[in-house]
Amino acid sequence: QVQLVESGGGSVQPGDSLRLSCAASSTVSRYPMAWFRQVPGKEREFVAAINYSSRNKYYAESVKGRFTISRDNVNNTVYLQMNNLKPEDTAVYLCACGKTPFTSTTTLQTRREYGYWGQGTQVTVSS
């Protein structure tokens, strides 16, 4: 059983940056990790994913060029660097850990690949 705890959210203005962190309670170095986001009343939306080695990274079109996902396998932590934030980025951001080790394909952009989820951290972008 893996527990995931997100941190780093907050309220910022358009154009600002935030760095989200996701700390895992046990070793996740063999598993893909991802960030999703959710707005009340809407489906959970894929944001970014990273495979176990950091060689493969995937991003939603809406965040490409602005967000960067990375991981530290020594400390079992995943990060999401978010730059040039926009009001439409406002959401609860959730960290997820993959079900199957070493998965690296584009299926990492889908919810079904993930078996463990954090509680989320709120990001609000407003002027």
Side-chain angles (χ1 to χ4, degrees), residues 100-119:
T100 307
F102 308 120
T103 304
S104 300
T105 63
T106 57
T107 56
L108 291 180
Q109 299 176 71
T110 60
R111 288 181 59 178
R112 67 174 184 269
E113 287 290 345
Y114 302 94
Y116 301 97
W117 296 84
Q119 293 297 308

Side-chain angles (χ1 to χ4, degrees), residues 31-46:
Y31 292 86
M33 301 291 291
W35 289 95
F36 286 73
R37 64 188 181 187
Q38 190 157 24
V39 175
K42 292 190 176 182
E43 289 286 315
R44 191 167 295 184
E45 177 189 26
F46 168 77

Side-chain angles (χ1 to χ4, degrees), residues 8-61:
S11 295
V12 298
Q13 295 187 337
D16 285 352
S17 298
L18 278 176
R19 189 193 196 203
L20 305 184
S21 298
C22 171
S25 61
S26 57
T27 300
V28 294
S29 58
R30 299 180 302 161
Y31 292 86
M33 301 291 291
W35 289 95
F36 286 73
R37 64 188 181 187
Q38 190 157 24
V39 175
K42 292 190 176 182
E43 289 286 315
R44 191 167 295 184
E45 177 189 26
F46 168 77
V47 176
I50 186 168
N51 80 326
Y52 70 102
S53 68
S54 301
R55 182 173 181 177
N56 296 71
K57 300 179 183 181
Y58 303 98
Y59 296 95
E61 284 297 325

Side-chain angles (χ1 to χ4, degrees), residues 58-67:
Y58 303 98
Y59 296 95
E61 284 297 325
S62 59
V63 307
K64 275 183 182 177
R66 300 188 298 123
F67 291 12

Side-chain angles (χ1 to χ4, degrees), residues 61-77:
E61 284 297 325
S62 59
V63 307
K64 275 183 182 177
R66 300 188 298 123
F67 291 12
T68 302
I69 189 170
S70 61
R71 65 189 297 161
D72 177 351
N73 283 341
V74 172
N75 294 303
N76 296 306
T77 303

